[in-house]
């Protein structure tokens, strides 16, 4: 069983479904409203645990009803929460999601995720030193990402940096990360002025550009490889990227090769979109292995 440490956000997703996305200044009638656990960090931790990894979450929640619900959800999914802090006086992070016209739009309010600081990572030093893989995203302060990248490089623990949501990242951090998993939009912000192919060639077996329903693309040192996605009937694509990252981490942490890990990750991500909610469709290990895709 691979040991994975996830450093990142834990939020409550407030999801509205509607036939149409409102434009600026427009009001539309929605169909439903649901609250479900989310946050890119928490999603990746839950997905990795469902796939059989031993997962520690390093994060923060607010001292509110959502914070309690987020902690309960970690417990139900067997994610260790010794390093998830409840911040006195803070509100939990929230993501305000509109599902319309087959896609989502998301506004994230960071809340307690603002307190996921280098100190939070320092406190979890022993967990990080013992991990087979560390995962981090960008719904937490940039200095925490920088600190974690330096720590993982020093400890020689592999790090997957999922640069979502997009913001510029220094070359030092990019160099220290073992794997980067931007989507096409994030890749354009990380590597301005470069084509996807040029980015991939510059970072063989390191940068994996996720292209939604087309699959994931990387350069294997000899040629560009596209690992295609599986064709499924999507119900909700929220959390597909998180499932991809988690499954990729789980497979790599178990010692699988790059191509096998990316294929496993694509299978898991494809299954994740078939049910509602970021975590609603995240599959178990058995579901990934037995799915007829
Ligand atoms: O990646 C999906 C996640 O992004 C959602 O669960 C929401 O919390 C946003 O942060």
């Amino acid at each position: 069983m691979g040991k994975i440490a996830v450093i990142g956000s834990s939020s409550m997703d407030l999801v509205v479904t509607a036939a149409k996305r409102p434009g600026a200044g427009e009001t539309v009638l929605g169909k439903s409203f649901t609250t479900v656990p989310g946050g890119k960090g928490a999603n990746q931790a839950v997905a990795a645990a469902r796939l059989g990894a031993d997962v520690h979450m390093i994060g923060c929640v607010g001292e509110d009803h959502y914070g309690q619900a987020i902690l309960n959800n970690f417990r139900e999914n067997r994610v260790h929460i010794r390093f998830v802090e409840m911040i006195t006086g803070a509100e939990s992070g929230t993501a305000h999601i509109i599902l319309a016209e087959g896609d989502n739009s998301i506004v994230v309010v960071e809340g307690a995720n603002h307190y996921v600081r280098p100190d939070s990572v320092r406190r979890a030093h022993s967990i990080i030193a013992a991990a087979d893989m560390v995962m981090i995203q960008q719904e937490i302060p940039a200095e925490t990402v920088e600190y974690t990248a330096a720590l993982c490089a020093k400890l020689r623990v592999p790090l997957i940096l999922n640069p979502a949501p997009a913001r510029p990242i220094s070359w030092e951090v990019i160099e220290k990360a073992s794997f980067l998993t931007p989507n096409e939009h994030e890749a354009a912000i990380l590597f301005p002025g470069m084509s996807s192919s040029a980015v991939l060639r510059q970072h063989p077996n390191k940068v994996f550009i996720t292209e939604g329903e087309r699959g994931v693309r990387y350069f294997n040192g000899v040629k560009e490889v596209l690992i295609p996605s599986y064709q499924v009937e999507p119900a909700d694509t929220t959390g597909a990227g998180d499932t991809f990252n988690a499954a990729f981490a789980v497979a790599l942490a178990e010692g699988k090769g790059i191509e096998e890990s990316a294929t496993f990750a694509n299978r898991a991500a494809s299954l994740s979109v078939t049910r509602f909610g970021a975590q609603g469709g995240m599959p178990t290990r058995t579901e990934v292995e037995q799915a007829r895709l």
Side-chain angles (χ1 to χ4, degrees):
M1 183 190 279
K3 290 196 198 97
I4 294 184
V6 180
I7 299 150
S9 58
S10 310
S11 303
M12 191 56 78
D13 288 356
L14 314 183
V15 190
V16 168
T17 61
K20 179 182 182 299
R21 194 177 311 282
E26 188 184 7
T27 301
V28 299
L29 290 178
K31 287 189 197 154
S32 68
F33 171 69
T34 319
T35 54
V36 285
K40 293 184 192 302
N43 290 345
Q44 294 182 15
V46 166
R50 285 192 194 161
L51 292 169
D54 183 38
V55 184
H56 279 265
M57 177 73 195
I58 295 141
C60 295
V61 295
E63 196 186 26
D64 53 14
H65 174 68
Y66 289 158
Q68 289 295 351
I70 292 166
L71 293 179
N72 285 340
N73 182 60
F74 280 135
R75 289 188 193 102
E76 281 161 20
N77 284 282
R78 296 172 196 271
V79 173
H80 304 295
I81 53 171
R82 196 168 123 215
F83 295 102
V84 180
E85 222 185 316
M86 186 171 266
I87 306 292
T88 309
E91 290 172 358
S92 293
T94 47
H96 303 256
I97 303 181
I98 297 175
L99 289 186
E101 298 157 9
D103 213 340
N104 61 36
S105 321
I106 309 183
V107 176
V108 173
V109 179
E110 64 175 349
N113 295 311
H114 175 71
Y115 297 93
V116 186
R117 317 290 303 193
D119 257 352
S120 320
V121 183
R122 239 172 251 129
R123 278 195 287 275
H125 187 282
S126 59
I127 296 298
I128 290 166
D132 297 308
M133 184 65 74
V134 173
M135 306 177 72
I136 199 162
Q137 327 72 32
Q138 304 212 102
E139 289 181 334
I140 55 173
E143 63 177 300
T144 310
V145 177
E146 285 155 20
Y147 178 81
T148 303
L151 180 65
C152 288
K154 187 168 140 213
L155 296 173
R156 294 177 186 276
V157 175
L159 172 71
I160 297 184
L161 168 53
N162 173 217
R167 69 183 170 211
I169 301 177
S170 72
W171 272 106
E172 284 101 311
V173 172
I174 289 177
E175 264 167 31
K176 283 174 186 147
S178 317
F179 303 100
L180 270 120
T181 52
N183 62 23
E184 292 159 284
H185 165 71
E186 290 151 1
I189 291 180
L190 245 55
F191 304 100
M194 286 175 77
S195 68
S196 290
S197 289
V199 170
L200 296 178
R201 278 183 173 269
Q202 199 178 58
H203 301 93
N205 295 315
K206 169 164 177 158
V207 175
F208 294 77
I209 301 183
T210 54
E211 299 181 0
E213 60 193 22
R214 278 199 301 283
V216 58
R217 200 179 289 276
Y218 68 103
F219 183 73
N220 70 4
V222 177
K223 62 178 192 306
E224 212 172 285
V225 179
L226 173 72
I227 309 271
S229 290
Y230 297 86
Q231 298 306 312
V232 291
E233 194 57 52
D236 180 1
T237 57
T238 314
D242 297 327
T243 309
F244 175 87
N245 277 276
F248 191 47
V250 168
L252 290 169
E254 290 174 3
K256 295 191 168 53
I258 297 266
E259 188 164 344
E260 192 184 350
S261 299
T263 304
F264 177 74
N266 263 355
R267 284 178 73 82
S270 300
L271 291 174
S272 78
V273 307
T274 59
R275 275 177 250 153
F276 171 80
Q279 297 177 16
M282 285 174 176
T284 62
R285 183 64 170 246
T286 313
E287 283 171 334
V288 177
E289 285 169 354
Q290 294 184 353
R292 292 177 180 216
L293 290 168

